[in-house]
Structure formats: structure tokens, C-alpha cells
Amino acid sequence: MKEAKEGNITKEMRIVAENEKLEPEFIRRGISKGRIIIPKSNRRELNPPIGIGKGLFVKINANVGSSKKVFDPEEELAKAQIAEKYGADTLMDLSTGIKESDVIQIRRKILENTNIPLGTVPIYQSALRAIETKGAIIHMDEDDLFNVVEEQAKEGVDFFTIHAGVTREIIDYLVDHPRMMGVVSRGGTFLAAWILHHEQENPFNKKYDYLLEMAQEYDFTLSLGDGMRPGGIFDSTDYPQIRELMEISTLVKRAWNNNVQVMVEGPGHIPAHEIEQNIKIQKSLCDEAPFYVLGPLVTDIAPGYDEIVSAIGGTMAGLAGADYLCYVTPSEHLGLPNREEVKRGVIASKIAAHAVNIARYGKRASEWDYKMDIARKNLNWKDMITLAIDPELAEEKHLRSGEKLDEDVCSMCGDFCAIKLLRDALEEKNK
Amino acid sequence: MKEAKEGNITKEMRIVAENEKLEPEFIRRGISKGRIIIPKSNRRELNPPIGIGKGLFVKINANVGSSKKVFDPEEELAKAQIAEKYGADTLMDLSTGIKESDVIQIRRKILENTNIPLGTVPIYQSALRAIETKGAIIHMDEDDLFNVVEEQAKEGVDFFTIHAGVTREIIDYLVDHPRMMGVVSRGGTFLAAWILHHEQENPFNKKYDYLLEMAQEYDFTLSLGDGMRPGGIFDSTDYPQIRELMEISTLVKRAWNNNVQVMVEGPGHIPAHEIEQNIKIQKSLCDEAPFYVLGPLVTDIAPGYDEIVSAIGGTMAGLAGADYLCYVTPSEHLGLPNREEVKRGVIASKIAAHAVNIARYGKRASEWDYKMDIARKNLNWKDMITLAIDPELAEEKHLRSGEKLDEDVCSMCGDFCAIKLLRDALEEKNK
């Protein structure tokens, strides 16, 4: 951000500009104003670096990571690589575990074996450290929080979710005014519980300047986490959520004043008619800082299909201005996803992002659709399969009924194929 | 519609009112003005009859039916029953086949063994009759078209898709001004090819009054098909599509003048930013006649995942005022769906409709979500599974990692469960 403000166009800005089909100066200007970020640690090379923000294609993130119950570093790496293969623009490693060393091991493996930006929620590791060294999460101290951020930054983590907007004031309000689902953000909950127990302000809020110093040193990007994000549609757009967003909006500006790249995380469970207003108030309060939404999920009834629920909400959020969508897998609300669910989550989220890009940018984004339509028009099954977002699956479904790729009709309509019939009628007409 | 105009509240109106949590008079008034329909043949009993239109919950339709390549009546019935089980409000039998008797056999089986409204596209059977009796679809005559409608009406088909808006004028325009994907509606294509070959007006348009007479006799509902619906996002909202909609708007009013219930079918492939305008122009031109959308599909790149693409478009269409969503399965653009794909298509469409209902009607529609949130808040896995839109799948995913239903955390977060942590912290606080 410092380079951008000084008018310098870096190598990363040039690469992003090329991939976005934009001028490098557009990227530089966006970064200087905080509207665009290139999340990339100065300790890590990315291939390619990616930009997130105003005027750019909507990006998607895939979460991977173990939990205490399921610990398998190879499996988490495989999920990360599947996510990368199917089009995730970034990864977040949300590993927890039994021992602190578990999460360190997984994170390093992912950092070494993937090429896209990696984010973490460092408080998960701090919590494990507190359990090991002090017996319980609640005994976590400021050193546990900040030291872990620095240790991870040294390893090259590109962006950190930090719940600096979870203030004592908001938690006190929540105690007096319970909401339906309470707090469903894990990081937010650790801090809420800590605030309640110690009767002190959130260290990430109190010592935010220290965090900004570290961000400058390692050039990591801050993702201001929404600890108060609604955990069900009935908590949507309530006092704690908006109060935290307002706190975050002040933290955004402090980051910019210190040349630190920053984005804002958002909901969550939001009914469809409240999505647009949620995005617009964030954009307005935070002076168009990039907005990273978790979902949104437009209904709570569909565990097993939340990738669909989230694709609906993500598209609507993107149309209203969100810049970056966190995927949701079919196992959300049920358990840790497996590889197939990671793939499905990425594809659902990619569809949402692409639908938004078409709507926002027209031709700049729809070349892929154009090629597909040409293939369909020509009943060219080989191209239709190759161009599909998941060619293996498309081929399997197409060939299931004994079809061949060089035939010009499919089992859906057979000889009643509309495209073929009209083509033949027009040919007859033009004889 | 005649009864409603005369101020009479029928048994069907009462049942619909009860299921919609509305007053019977609201339903009667809606029907009298054409804004609500209860598609139900006077030759068939339904359990329950359903209403579609303004102020009512958004409904979903599932298509089943064989093609020339895949003919298996038991399989199509099984698909119809799966669709009914997972929440389809109506069915359409789109069977084609090798012989006319094939489609008759499947239709009768479905009529006998399902309880929800059934629609067809009768021209498919007319085409088979023309092939058998005259050697080619193109030799289809007016009798083939109208006799099939009457024969199916006598069997109790509740609504018919009739492409009466495909006029000679529009087809002539299309010949002079080709669009990217031409015509992708099968029924529309048969008529387009017929018009081109015979150089005559579409019989359904020319003899529309005859159709209205039959509709009165059997009390079937007309679904005015959109033969010009875009087959790719680049044809969206173009001249043929809107010209046909204008023609349809005049046919709607002629139906109403004859006390015939009518709905309007709509696109199709529409990029996200054009959905709202598409719904609003239909509502405006057609004086709020119920709008039945096929998708819309917001991108063309995702064969294999078009249930997701369609859930996105369907939600946006519903928010803009669409009343009735036709499902799309994951095998759309690839082949005939199997049972699993039918189920997935229904669930995706149901999610879209439900998301719209929550947005439109708040508490009237969100009791299901409320119960789910209570179960989640209480970490009550048994209830969470039972309440899920697909309990079997939710249970399978939840239990996969060795979990038990009476445990209070899941493999996603393990002991890091936010809900549990905050609950414990608050309990400690309140000691």
C-alpha cells in the first residue's frame, strides 16, 4: 500500500492488472485508496498474486483444516490442492487440533505445497498454546495472541483473520440482550469468553497498533473478522452485528493510515431481502474497503446442501458489491468436509462469483460462456465437455445413457432436439 | 375462475387458503383477477390442490419423462414419486418416445399414482402421432394438435404448456435476424419448423378460441409456453423473447375474458443483472398473471451443476415477483436425469423457493428455520437431522466422522464449538 501511495507500480500490480484485463494504474490507484488489496506476505512467492476489490473479478476462498476429532495433514493438503484445482483463488487453513504442533504441521505443509494466498485465524493456535501451557483457552494472554501472529507471519501467511472488532461494550450488550444464536464465530467466541472472564478489553482491539506494526513488517493483509456475524437468519442485521461493523470501520481507517492492506469480513446467515443493505452499509461505512462474505446463507433448513444456499447468497452479495466469497461446503453445520465436498463447495462458489462477474463486467467476464454457447449451437459435445466447470463430471453424466461424444443429440430430447430441428428446418428453407 | 368471479368460494379455494395461512376471500379475489390459479382438471382429484400466484408461497415444478433413447415407465414414475416426496408442488410429464403409445402409458401411470397437479406439453404426443401416421413431425396438422389436447384433458391433465405465442411474424424475424442459440424450446421448435414449412400461422394462435373452449370444458389451466426463451445468456431479453411475451400478454387477457385460468412461462438463460427486469416486464405486460420461470440460469458454463445455477436465478426471480419455479437438474444440458438428480433438482429448487418465501413473508414462511435454529442453539443433533430438508443425507454426513447424535459438538469444530464455548462462559458469568 505504501508503494501504491507513492505512485509505484510493483510487479504484483502488473500481474494482477494483466489477469484482470485492466491497466496497472487502475490497480495502483485502487490499492492506494484501500479499495483493492493484493494479499501477499513478503516472506512468500505466489503464482500468481491475486487482487481483491472494486472493479476486479469476484474471488472465492476455500477453507480447509483439521479439527480435534479429525487430524490428517495429508488429507487437508489434498483438500487444499483440490480447492486450488477447481478454482479457489485463496485458501484459509482453519485447523484446530489436540496439540499446537498439529496445526503448525498442517499449515507448513499447505504453505509449501500450494501457490495461492493463504490465510489463517491465528487465535486458534493461541488457544491450543494456552491449553498446553496454562490449562485452558480462557487463560490465554496477550503474548499468546500476538506471538502466534508473528510466528505465522514469519512463515509467510498472507492474511490473518483478526476479530479486533469484538469489543467489551458489544459483549456486555450481548449479555444483557441475548440473541437467538449467540456468537457462532469461533475466534469471536474465544475473545467474548476471554472478555467476560477477565473483564478487560479485547487485546487485538486495545493493542491494534502493535498488530499494524507487524503487518507493515511482514506485509500481511488484515481481514477484520466478524465475530458478531449472525448464526441464524433471525439474528441478521441486529445491533451486535452492526455495532461491530462500525467498530471495524474505524479500524479500517487506522490500517490505511499505517499503509496496511485490510479487508472486512461479513455475514453469515442473512435472509435474501437483507443482503443488499448489508453489503451497502459495509461499503459505505468502510469507505469501500474490500468486503469478504461468509455465505451469506439465505435459509437455515438445508444442512447437506448449504453450498447451494451459499451460492444463492453469494451471488446476491456480489451483485450488491461484495468482492470476495468464502465457500461453504455441503457438510457445513454437520461436520468437517471431505474431498468431494470441498470440490463441490468450490464449484458452487465459483458459479456464484462467475455469475456476478458476468453481470458486472459483461464481455470482460463472459468469454467462457460464449465458447460454451458456440459448442452447444454446433452440438459439439467434445467442446461442451471440455469447457464445463467440471469436465469429468459432465462427461460421466453425458455418457451415462450410452451416448457417444460424436453424436449430435443427447438422451434428454433425442431426435426431438430443438437445436437440430430448427437447424434442419432453416436449411430446408434456404435450399 | 368463473366461480371466483361470481363470488363463490369453492372447496379448493378453502384448502389453498388454509395451506397458505390466508383468508379464503383472498384466494377467491386473486383467482377472479387472474393473479392466482389453482391448476386442477375437473376430471381429477388432487391431494391437496395448490395455488400459484400473487401473495402465495412460491411453488416448484419437477419435470419427468422419457425420451426416445431412454424409455422406462417404472423409472419415470419412480422419479415422479421422488419429486413429490422431496417437495415438488407440481409435476410435468415431458415424455417423448419412439411410439405415441409410450408417452400415453407413462402419463397414465403418473396420473394414477401421484397426487399433485400434472402438466404436459401435448405437442410432443402430436409430433409422435404425426410421425406414425404421416411419416414426419412436419406433416402434423391442426387435428393432431387439438385432438391430443382434448384426449389428454379427458384423462385429467391439470395444465398444458401451449406455445401459442410463437407467431409467424416472430419466426420470420428470426430467419432474417438469427440469434446465438436459435430456438431451444422443443415445442417452440416444432411450431417454428411447421410455420416455416407450411408458411402458415401457428394453429394454437390462430385457433386460440377453440383451445379456450376446451379449457372451460375440462377446467384445465393454460401455461403459455415461451418458445423464444433464450438458450444462452447472450440471447437474453432480445427482440424475439420480448415480442413473444407481448403476444402472450394479449392471449392472457383473452383467457381471462373466457374465465380460463392461465399462467405465463418465462426464461431461461438470463444473466443475473437482467432477471429483475425480466420478471417486472412480464408482471406489468400481463397484468400480474402468475409467472412460471424455467431457471433462470445465470451462466452457461456449469453443466453438471445447473441445479445450483438455477437455484441462484430462481431465487432472484422469486424476489422480483416470479410465482413458480421449474426445477433444473444436474444433468440438464447433458442427458436425462436419474432419480438422484431428480431429487437434487427438487431440493435445490425448494431451497430457492423457501429463501424467497422467507424474504417475502417473514414469519409466515420461516417457522421451519426457527425450529432449526432452536435445535442448533441447543446443540440438539436429533432435531437438526430431523428438520433438515434431506434428513437421510444430513444424518449420513454428520455421522461420517464417527459422531453420535447425543453428543453436543461436531467434527467441524470439536471442543472449539462456538455455541458451546459461549454458553459455558455465560453460565460461569451468571454463577
Side-chain angles (χ1 to χ4, degrees):
Chain A
M1 190 166 187
K2 187 159 173 283
E3 297 274 3
K5 281 187 185 172
E6 288 170 357
N8 301 326
I9 292 174
T10 65
K11 183 185 72 179
E12 288 81 7
M13 295 180 207
R14 275 186 214 289
I15 298 171
V16 167
E18 193 177 329
N19 291 335
E20 298 278 345
K21 303 174 196 171
L22 292 168
E23 293 302 313
E25 172 59 17
F26 180 91
I27 307 297
R28 187 205 61 77
R29 207 179 134 83
I31 293 174
S32 75
K33 292 187 173 297
R35 292 176 189 157
I36 292 176
I37 54 173
I38 300 180
K40 182 186 165 304
S41 162
N42 58 19
R43 303 288 170 115
R44 190 167 182 233
E45 282 308 306
L46 297 173
N47 182 20
I50 63 121
I52 298 169
K54 195 174 182 191
L56 309 191
F57 295 129
V58 173
K59 304 300 184 301
I60 66 166
N61 174 71
N63 294 331
V64 297
S66 59
S67 74
K68 187 173 164 181
K69 292 198 160 198
V70 182
F71 176 73
D72 182 345
E74 287 306 324
E75 186 64 21
E76 295 313 316
L77 175 62
K79 289 183 201 170
Q81 288 171 329
I82 285 169
E84 198 173 355
K85 173 180 171 187
Y86 284 98
D89 298 292
T90 66
L91 292 167
M92 286 192 77
D93 173 16
L94 304 187
S95 287
T96 58
I98 298 178
K99 306 186 303 296
E100 189 186 354
S101 58
D102 294 346
V103 305
I104 296 174
Q105 188 188 343
I106 291 182
R107 183 176 62 247
R108 289 186 181 161
K109 209 177 255 295
I110 295 174
L111 277 168
E112 277 163 25
N113 294 289
T114 59
N115 296 304
I116 55 180
L118 181 74
T120 67
V121 187
I123 197 173
Y124 297 172
Q125 184 181 340
S126 307
L128 288 169
R129 181 172 296 182
I131 292 171
E132 281 180 47
T133 58
K134 307 186 181 75
I137 297 180
I138 208 75
H139 301 313
M140 190 164 59
D141 63 20
E142 287 180 7
D143 282 347
D144 295 328
L145 293 173
F146 289 99
N147 290 349
V148 165
V149 173
E150 182 148 24
E151 288 162 31
Q152 294 194 10
K154 278 185 183 160
E155 288 179 15
V157 171
D158 301 293
F159 62 102
F160 291 109
T161 292
I162 304 282
H163 300 89
V166 176
T167 60
R168 199 172 163 188
E169 178 202 330
I170 296 170
I171 301 306
D172 286 344
Y173 178 94
L174 258 184
V175 171
D176 294 338
H177 306 84
R179 70 212 294 222
M180 182 83 174
M181 298 301 294
V183 181
V184 298
S185 151
R186 280 184 289 181
T189 304
F190 295 163
L191 290 165
W194 191 93
I195 290 168
L196 285 171
H197 183 84
H198 297 276
E199 298 185 338
Q200 287 182 39
E201 186 53 280
N202 174 354
F204 283 132
N205 190 283
K206 203 170 59 180
K207 301 205 169 174
Y208 185 64
D209 285 330
Y210 181 41
L211 204 60
L212 295 178
E213 278 171 37
M214 281 200 274
Q216 284 171 287
E217 182 172 351
Y218 301 98
D219 209 2
F220 64 70
T221 296
L222 273 181
S223 187
L224 294 170
D226 54 337
M228 296 300 121
R229 69 170 180 269
I233 58 169
F234 301 97
D235 289 340
S236 160
T237 331
D238 68 352
Y239 184 94
Q241 184 198 327
I242 303 301
R243 183 66 192 85
E244 182 188 29
L245 178 62
M246 293 183 68
E247 178 66 21
I248 285 174
S249 75
T250 69
L251 300 174
V252 164
K253 286 155 217 173
R254 284 169 63 189
W256 289 346
N257 288 340
N258 287 276
N259 297 326
V260 170
Q261 296 193 113
V262 64
M263 62 182 140
V264 176
E265 294 183 18
H269 292 247
I270 303 278
H273 62 295
E274 290 186 8
I275 290 177
E276 185 176 354
Q277 70 205 48
N278 264 278
I279 308 301
K280 295 208 161 148
I281 193 175
Q282 182 276 350
K283 285 279 169 184
S284 180
L285 276 174
C286 299
D287 285 7
E288 305 200 89
F291 199 19
Y292 175 25
V293 291
L294 315 177
L297 297 167
V298 293
T299 171
D300 300 342
I301 59 154
Y305 298 87
D306 275 333
E307 87 280 20
I308 298 178
V309 179
S310 169
I312 294 169
T315 306
M316 295 181 63
L319 289 171
D323 306 285
Y324 181 31
L325 311 177
C326 186
Y327 89 160
V328 171
T329 79
S331 80
E332 183 77 18
H333 300 110
L334 295 168
L336 214 60
N338 60 23
R339 296 183 195 196
E340 179 58 31
E341 289 159 345
V342 165
K343 173 183 156 182
R344 182 164 274 277
V346 168
I347 287 175
S349 192
K350 197 84 193 161
I351 288 169
H354 185 68
V356 174
N357 291 332
I358 293 169
R360 278 199 199 162
Y361 305 125
K363 275 191 184 168
R364 196 178 126 212
S366 57
E367 198 184 321
W368 188 0
D369 299 74
Y370 187 80
K371 287 179 184 163
M372 176 66 86
D373 287 0
I374 296 286
R376 283 192 179 148
K377 185 192 181 73
N378 295 329
L379 300 169
N380 180 336
W381 282 99
K382 278 180 192 153
D383 283 1
M384 281 189 257
I385 300 296
T386 310
L387 286 165
I389 196 165
D390 181 358
E392 296 87 355
L393 184 81
E395 181 163 15
E396 178 203 314
K397 286 191 191 294
H398 179 61
L399 297 182
R400 193 176 55 206
S401 308
E403 259 130 325
K404 299 184 186 72
L405 286 184
D406 53 2
E407 265 190 314
D408 64 355
V409 295
C410 86
S411 67
M412 184 113 184
C413 308
D415 286 346
F416 278 28
C417 174
I419 290 177
K420 187 170 148 67
L421 279 167
L422 192 70
R423 189 181 63 188
D424 295 349
L426 285 170
E427 276 171 11
E428 185 201 291
K429 187 80 186 171
N430 294 330
K431 259 179 206 161
Chain B
M1 188 166 188
K2 188 159 172 284
E3 296 276 3
K5 282 186 186 171
E6 288 169 356
N8 301 325
I9 291 175
T10 64
K11 182 184 71 178
E12 288 81 6
M13 295 179 208
R14 276 187 213 288
I15 297 171
V16 166
E18 193 177 329
N19 291 334
E20 297 278 347
K21 304 174 196 170
L22 292 168
E23 293 302 314
E25 173 58 18
F26 181 91
I27 308 297
R28 186 205 62 76
R29 206 180 136 83
I31 293 174
S32 76
K33 293 189 173 294
R35 292 176 190 157
I36 291 175
I37 54 173
I38 300 181
K40 181 186 166 305
S41 162
N42 58 18
R43 303 290 170 111
R44 191 168 181 232
E45 282 308 308
L46 297 173
N47 183 21
I50 63 123
I52 298 169
K54 195 176 182 189
L56 309 191
F57 295 128
V58 173
K59 303 301 185 298
I60 66 165
N61 174 72
N63 294 331
V64 297
S66 59
S67 74
K68 188 172 164 181
K69 292 197 158 195
V70 182
F71 176 73
D72 182 345
E74 287 305 326
E75 185 63 21
E76 295 312 316
L77 176 61
K79 288 183 202 171
Q81 289 171 328
I82 285 170
E84 199 173 356
K85 173 180 171 187
Y86 285 98
D89 298 293
T90 67
L91 292 167
M92 288 193 75
D93 173 17
L94 304 187
S95 287
T96 59
I98 298 177
K99 307 186 304 295
E100 187 185 354
S101 57
D102 293 346
V103 305
I104 296 174
Q105 189 187 341
I106 290 182
R107 183 175 62 247
R108 289 187 180 158
K109 207 175 256 295
I110 294 173
L111 277 168
E112 277 164 25
N113 294 289
T114 58
N115 296 304
I116 54 180
L118 181 74
T120 67
V121 187
I123 198 172
Y124 297 172
Q125 184 180 340
S126 307
L128 287 170
R129 181 172 296 183
I131 293 171
E132 281 180 45
T133 61
K134 306 185 182 76
I137 297 180
I138 208 76
H139 301 312
M140 189 165 58
D141 62 21
E142 286 179 7
D143 283 346
D144 294 328
L145 292 173
F146 289 99
N147 291 347
V148 166
V149 173
E150 182 149 26
E151 288 161 32
Q152 293 194 12
K154 278 186 182 158
E155 289 178 12
V157 172
D158 301 292
F159 62 101
F160 291 108
T161 292
I162 304 281
H163 301 89
V166 176
T167 60
R168 199 173 165 188
E169 179 202 331
I170 296 169
I171 300 306
D172 286 344
Y173 178 93
L174 258 185
V175 170
D176 293 337
H177 306 83
R179 69 210 297 222
M180 182 83 174
M181 298 301 295
V183 181
V184 297
S185 150
R186 279 185 291 182
T189 304
F190 294 163
L191 290 164
W194 191 93
I195 290 167
L196 285 170
H197 182 84
H198 296 277
E199 298 185 338
Q200 286 181 40
E201 186 52 277
N202 173 355
F204 283 132
N205 190 282
K206 203 171 62 184
K207 300 204 168 175
Y208 185 63
D209 286 329
Y210 181 41
L211 203 61
L212 295 178
E213 279 171 36
M214 282 200 274
Q216 284 170 287
E217 182 172 351
Y218 301 98
D219 208 3
F220 63 70
T221 296
L222 273 181
S223 188
L224 294 170
D226 54 337
M228 296 301 121
R229 70 171 180 269
I233 58 169
F234 301 97
D235 289 340
S236 160
T237 331
D238 68 352
Y239 184 95
Q241 184 198 327
I242 302 301
R243 184 66 192 86
E244 182 188 31
L245 178 63
M246 294 183 68
E247 179 66 22
I248 285 175
S249 75
T250 70
L251 301 173
V252 164
K253 285 153 215 175
R254 284 169 64 189
W256 288 347
N257 289 339
N258 288 276
N259 298 326
V260 170
Q261 297 193 114
V262 63
M263 62 182 141
V264 176
E265 294 183 19
H269 293 247
I270 302 278
H273 61 296
E274 288 186 10
I275 290 177
E276 184 177 354
Q277 71 203 49
N278 264 278
I279 308 302
K280 295 205 162 151
I281 194 175
Q282 182 276 351
K283 286 279 168 184
S284 178
L285 276 174
C286 300
D287 286 6
E288 304 199 272
F291 199 18
Y292 176 24
V293 291
L294 314 176
L297 296 168
V298 293
T299 171
D300 301 342
I301 59 154
Y305 297 86
D306 274 334
E307 87 280 21
I308 298 177
V309 178
S310 169
I312 293 169
T315 306
M316 295 182 63
L319 289 172
D323 305 287
Y324 182 30
L325 311 178
C326 186
Y327 89 160
V328 171
T329 78
S331 80
E332 183 79 18
H333 300 109
L334 295 169
L336 215 59
N338 62 22
R339 296 183 196 197
E340 178 58 31
E341 289 159 344
V342 165
K343 173 183 155 183
R344 181 164 273 278
V346 169
I347 287 175
S349 193
K350 197 83 192 163
I351 288 170
H354 184 68
V356 175
N357 290 333
I358 293 170
R360 277 200 199 162
Y361 304 126
K363 275 192 185 169
R364 195 177 127 212
S366 57
E367 198 185 320
W368 188 359
D369 299 74
Y370 187 80
K371 287 180 183 162
M372 177 65 87
D373 287 359
I374 295 285
R376 283 192 179 150
K377 185 192 181 72
N378 295 328
L379 300 169
N380 180 336
W381 283 98
K382 278 179 192 154
D383 283 2
M384 282 189 256
I385 301 296
T386 311
L387 286 164
I389 197 165
D390 181 357
E392 295 88 354
L393 184 80
E395 181 164 15
E396 179 201 315
K397 285 190 192 295
H398 179 60
L399 297 183
R400 194 176 55 205
S401 309
E403 258 128 329
K404 300 184 186 73
L405 286 184
D406 52 4
E407 265 189 314
D408 64 356
V409 295
C410 87
S411 68
M412 183 113 184
C413 308
D415 287 346
F416 279 28
C417 176
I419 291 177
K420 186 171 149 64
L421 279 168
L422 192 70
R423 189 181 63 189
D424 296 348
L426 285 171
E427 276 170 14
E428 184 201 292
K429 187 81 187 168
N430 294 330
K431 259 180 209 162

